[in-house]
Coordinates of all heavy atoms in Angstrom, one line a residue:
D1 N -0.2 65.4 57.1 CA -0.9 66.5 56.3 C 0.1 67.5 55.8 O -0.3 68.3 54.9 CB -2.0 67.2 57.2 CG -1.4 67.9 58.4 OD1 -0.3 67.5 58.9 OD2 -2.0 68.9 58.9
E2 N 1.3 67.5 56.2 CA 2.4 68.3 55.6 C 3.1 67.7 54.4 O 3.8 68.4 53.7 CB 3.4 68.7 56.7 CG 2.9 69.4 57.9 CD 3.9 69.6 59.0 OE1 5.0 70.2 58.6 OE2 3.7 69.2 60.2
L3 N 2.9 66.4 54.2 CA 3.5 65.7 53.1 C 2.9 66.2 51.8 O 1.7 66.2 51.6 CB 3.4 64.2 53.3 CG 4.2 63.3 52.4 CD1 5.7 63.5 52.6 CD2 3.8 61.9 52.6
A4 N 3.8 66.4 50.8 CA 3.3 66.9 49.5 C 2.5 65.7 48.9 O 2.8 64.5 49.0 CB 4.4 67.2 48.6
E5 N 1.4 66.1 48.1 CA 0.6 65.1 47.5 C 1.2 64.8 46.1 O 1.8 65.6 45.5 CB -0.8 65.7 47.3 CG -1.8 64.6 46.8 CD -3.3 65.1 46.9 OE1 -3.5 66.2 47.4 OE2 -4.2 64.4 46.4
N6 N 1.0 63.5 45.6 CA 1.5 63.1 44.3 C 0.4 62.9 43.4 O -0.7 62.5 43.7 CB 2.4 61.8 44.5 CG 3.7 62.1 45.2 OD1 4.6 62.5 44.6 ND2 3.7 61.8 46.5
Y7 N 0.7 63.2 42.1 CA -0.4 63.2 41.1 C 0.1 62.4 39.8 O 1.2 62.6 39.4 CB -0.7 64.6 40.6 CG -1.3 65.5 41.7 CD1 -0.4 66.3 42.5 CD2 -2.7 65.6 42.0 CE1 -0.9 67.1 43.5 CE2 -3.2 66.4 42.9 CZ -2.3 67.2 43.7 OH -2.8 68.0 44.7
A8 N -0.8 61.6 39.3 CA -0.6 60.9 38.1 C -0.9 62.0 37.0 O -2.0 62.5 36.9 CB -1.6 59.7 37.9
T9 N 0.1 62.3 36.2 CA 0.0 63.4 35.2 C 0.5 62.9 33.9 O 1.0 61.8 33.8 CB 0.8 64.6 35.7 OG1 2.2 64.2 35.9 CG2 0.3 65.2 36.9
G10 N 0.3 63.7 32.9 CA 0.7 63.3 31.5 C -0.2 62.4 30.9 O -1.2 61.9 31.5
P11 N 0.0 62.1 29.6 CA -0.9 61.1 28.9 C -0.9 59.8 29.6 O 0.1 59.3 30.1 CB -0.2 61.0 27.5 CG 0.7 62.3 27.4 CD 1.1 62.6 28.8
T12 N -2.1 59.1 29.5 CA -2.2 57.8 30.1 C -1.3 56.8 29.3 O -1.4 56.7 28.1 CB -3.7 57.3 30.0 OG1 -4.5 58.3 30.7 CG2 -3.8 55.9 30.7
P13 N -0.5 56.1 30.0 CA 0.4 55.1 29.4 C -0.4 54.0 28.6 O -1.4 53.5 29.1 CB 1.2 54.5 30.5 CG 1.1 55.5 31.6 CD -0.2 56.1 31.5
R14 N 0.1 53.7 27.4 CA -0.5 52.7 26.6 C 0.5 51.5 26.4 O 1.7 51.7 26.7 CB -0.9 53.2 25.2 CG -1.8 54.4 25.3 CD -3.2 54.1 25.9 NE -4.1 55.2 26.0 CZ -5.2 55.2 26.6 NH1 -5.6 54.2 27.3 NH2 -6.0 56.3 26.6
F15 N 0.0 50.4 26.0 CA 0.9 49.3 25.7 C 2.0 49.6 24.7 O 1.6 50.3 23.7 CB 0.1 48.1 25.3 CG 0.9 46.8 25.1 CD1 1.2 46.0 26.1 CD2 1.4 46.5 23.8 CE1 1.9 44.8 26.0 CE2 2.2 45.4 23.7 CZ 2.5 44.5 24.7
P16 N 3.2 49.3 24.8 CA 3.8 48.4 25.8 C 4.3 49.1 27.1 O 4.7 48.5 28.0 CB 5.0 47.8 25.1 CG 5.5 48.9 24.2 CD 4.2 49.6 23.8
V17 N 4.2 50.5 27.1 CA 4.7 51.2 28.3 C 3.8 50.8 29.5 O 4.4 50.7 30.6 CB 4.6 52.7 28.0 CG1 5.0 53.5 29.3 CG2 5.6 53.1 26.9
S18 N 2.5 50.7 29.3 CA 1.6 50.4 30.4 C 2.0 49.0 31.0 O 1.9 48.8 32.2 CB 0.2 50.4 30.0 OG 0.0 49.5 28.9
W19 N 2.4 48.1 30.2 CA 2.8 46.8 30.6 C 4.1 46.8 31.5 O 4.2 46.2 32.5 CB 3.1 45.9 29.4 CG 3.6 44.5 29.7 CD1 2.9 43.4 30.2 CD2 5.0 44.1 29.6 NE1 3.8 42.3 30.4 CE2 5.0 42.7 30.1 CE3 6.1 44.7 29.2 CZ2 6.2 42.0 30.1 CZ3 7.3 44.0 29.3 CH2 7.4 42.6 29.7
I20 N 5.0 47.7 31.0 CA 6.3 47.9 31.8 C 6.0 48.5 33.1 O 6.6 48.1 34.2 CB 7.3 48.7 31.0 CG1 7.7 47.9 29.7 CG2 8.5 49.0 31.8 CD1 8.6 48.7 28.8
V21 N 5.1 49.5 33.2 CA 4.7 50.2 34.4 C 4.1 49.2 35.4 O 4.5 49.1 36.6 CB 3.8 51.3 34.1 CG1 3.2 51.9 35.4 CG2 4.5 52.5 33.4
R22 N 3.2 48.4 34.9 CA 2.5 47.4 35.8 C 3.6 46.4 36.2 O 3.5 45.9 37.4 CB 1.4 46.7 35.0 CG 0.6 45.7 35.9 CD -0.6 45.2 35.1 NE -1.6 46.2 34.8 CZ -2.5 46.5 35.7 NH1 -2.6 45.9 36.8 NH2 -3.4 47.4 35.4
R23 N 4.5 46.0 35.4 CA 5.5 45.0 35.7 C 6.4 45.5 36.8 O 6.8 44.8 37.7 CB 6.3 44.6 34.5 CG 7.4 43.6 34.6 CD 8.1 43.4 33.3 NE 9.3 42.6 33.4 CZ 9.3 41.3 33.3 NH1 8.2 40.6 33.1 NH2 10.4 40.6 33.4
A24 N 6.8 46.8 36.7 CA 7.8 47.4 37.6 C 7.1 47.8 38.9 O 7.7 47.7 40.0 CB 8.5 48.6 37.0
L25 N 5.9 48.4 38.8 CA 5.3 49.0 40.0 C 4.1 48.2 40.6 O 3.6 48.5 41.6 CB 4.8 50.4 39.6 CG 5.8 51.4 39.1 CD1 5.2 52.7 38.7 CD2 6.9 51.6 40.1
G26 N 3.7 47.2 39.9 CA 2.6 46.3 40.4 C 1.2 46.8 40.2 O 0.3 46.3 40.8
G27 N 1.0 47.8 39.3 CA -0.3 48.4 39.1 C -0.2 49.4 38.0 O 0.8 49.9 37.7
D28 N -1.4 49.9 37.5 CA -1.4 51.0 36.6 C -1.2 52.3 37.3 O -1.2 52.3 38.6 CB -2.8 51.0 35.8 CG -3.9 51.3 36.8 OD1 -4.1 52.4 37.3 OD2 -4.7 50.3 37.1
I29 N -0.9 53.3 36.6 CA -0.5 54.6 37.2 C -1.5 55.2 38.1 O -1.2 55.9 39.1 CB 0.0 55.6 36.1 CG1 0.9 56.6 36.7 CG2 -1.2 56.2 35.3 CD1 2.2 56.0 37.2
N30 N -2.8 55.0 37.8 CA -3.8 55.6 38.6 C -3.9 54.9 40.0 O -4.2 55.5 41.0 CB -5.2 55.6 37.9 CG -5.2 56.5 36.7 OD1 -4.8 57.7 36.8 ND2 -5.7 56.1 35.6
T31 N -3.7 53.6 39.9 CA -3.6 52.8 41.2 C -2.4 53.2 42.0 O -2.5 53.4 43.2 CB -3.5 51.3 40.9 OG1 -4.7 50.9 40.1 CG2 -3.4 50.5 42.2
V32 N -1.3 53.5 41.3 CA -0.1 53.9 42.0 C -0.4 55.3 42.7 O 0.0 55.5 43.9 CB 1.1 54.1 41.0 CG1 2.3 54.8 41.7 CG2 1.5 52.7 40.5
E33 N -1.0 56.2 42.0 CA -1.4 57.5 42.6 C -2.2 57.3 43.8 O -2.0 57.9 44.9 CB -2.1 58.4 41.6 CG -2.5 59.7 42.2 CD -3.5 60.4 41.3 OE1 -4.6 59.8 41.0 OE2 -3.3 61.5 40.8
K34 N -3.2 56.4 43.8 CA -4.1 56.2 44.9 C -3.3 55.6 46.1 O -3.5 56.1 47.2 CB -5.2 55.3 44.5 CG -6.2 55.0 45.6 CD -7.4 54.1 45.1 CE -8.4 53.8 46.2 NZ -9.5 52.9 45.7
V35 N -2.4 54.7 45.8 CA -1.7 54.0 46.9 C -0.8 55.0 47.6 O -0.7 55.1 48.8 CB -0.9 52.8 46.4 CG1 0.1 52.3 47.4 CG2 -1.9 51.7 45.9
V36 N 0.0 55.8 46.8 CA 1.0 56.6 47.4 C 0.4 57.8 48.2 O 1.1 58.4 49.0 CB 2.1 57.1 46.4 CG1 2.8 55.9 45.7 CG2 1.4 58.0 45.3
N37 N -0.8 58.1 47.9 CA -1.5 59.2 48.7 C -2.3 58.6 49.8 O -3.0 59.4 50.5 CB -2.4 60.0 47.8 CG -1.5 60.9 46.8 OD1 -0.5 61.5 47.3 ND2 -1.9 61.0 45.6
D38 N -2.3 57.3 50.0 CA -3.0 56.7 51.1 C -2.2 56.9 52.4 O -1.1 56.6 52.5 CB -3.2 55.2 50.8 CG -4.1 54.5 51.8 OD1 -4.0 54.7 53.0 OD2 -4.9 53.6 51.3
P39 N -2.9 57.4 53.5 CA -2.2 57.6 54.7 C -1.5 56.4 55.3 O -0.5 56.4 55.9 CB -3.3 58.1 55.7 CG -4.3 58.8 54.8 CD -4.3 57.9 53.5
R40 N -2.1 55.2 54.9 CA -1.5 53.9 55.4 C -0.1 53.7 54.8 O 0.8 53.2 55.4 CB -2.4 52.8 55.1 CG -3.7 52.8 55.9 CD -4.6 51.7 55.5 NE -5.0 51.9 54.1 CZ -5.8 51.0 53.4 NH1 -6.2 49.9 54.0 NH2 -6.1 51.2 52.2
F41 N 0.0 54.1 53.5 CA 1.3 54.0 52.8 C 2.3 55.1 53.4 O 3.4 54.8 53.6 CB 1.2 54.2 51.3 CG 2.5 54.4 50.5 CD1 3.1 53.2 50.0 CD2 3.0 55.6 50.3 CE1 4.3 53.3 49.3 CE2 4.2 55.7 49.6 CZ 4.9 54.6 49.1
Q42 N 1.7 56.3 53.6 CA 2.6 57.4 54.0 C 3.1 57.2 55.4 O 4.2 57.8 55.7 CB 1.7 58.7 53.9 CG 1.3 59.0 52.5 CD 0.3 60.2 52.4 OE1 -0.5 60.4 53.3 NE2 0.3 60.9 51.3
E43 N 2.4 56.5 56.2 CA 2.8 56.3 57.6 C 3.5 55.0 57.8 O 4.1 54.7 58.9 CB 1.6 56.4 58.5 CG 0.9 57.7 58.5 CD -0.5 57.7 59.3 OE1 -0.7 56.7 60.0 OE2 -1.3 58.6 59.1
A44 N 3.6 54.1 56.8 CA 4.2 52.8 56.9 C 5.7 52.9 56.8 O 6.3 54.0 56.7 CB 3.7 51.9 55.9
V45 N 6.4 51.8 57.0 CA 7.9 51.7 56.8 C 8.1 50.8 55.6 O 7.9 49.6 55.7 CB 8.6 51.1 58.0 CG1 10.1 50.9 57.8 CG2 8.4 52.1 59.2

């Protein structure tokens, strides 16, 4: 609960940037935000 929260900010990426984001990170930016704020991710190795 002390860990800073992360937020998807700025304009929503559009193609081709959205394609590069999905290619590099494995999902769209909103999915990335959800995953990195999930306690299972935060407590994992």
Side-chain angles (χ1 to χ4, degrees):
D1 61 336
E2 298 177 52
L3 189 65
E5 189 167 354
N6 289 278
Y7 298 90
T9 56
T12 301
R14 305 296 181 189
F15 184 85
V17 174
S18 59
W19 175 79
I20 295 173
V21 170
R22 183 177 292 274
R23 179 181 172 90
L25 303 178
D28 63 72
I29 200 63
N30 291 316
T31 298
V32 171
E33 177 193 58
K34 182 178 179 180
V35 169
V36 300
N37 288 317
D38 189 317
R40 294 174 296 175
F41 172 89
Q42 295 168 335
E43 297 170 16
V45 174

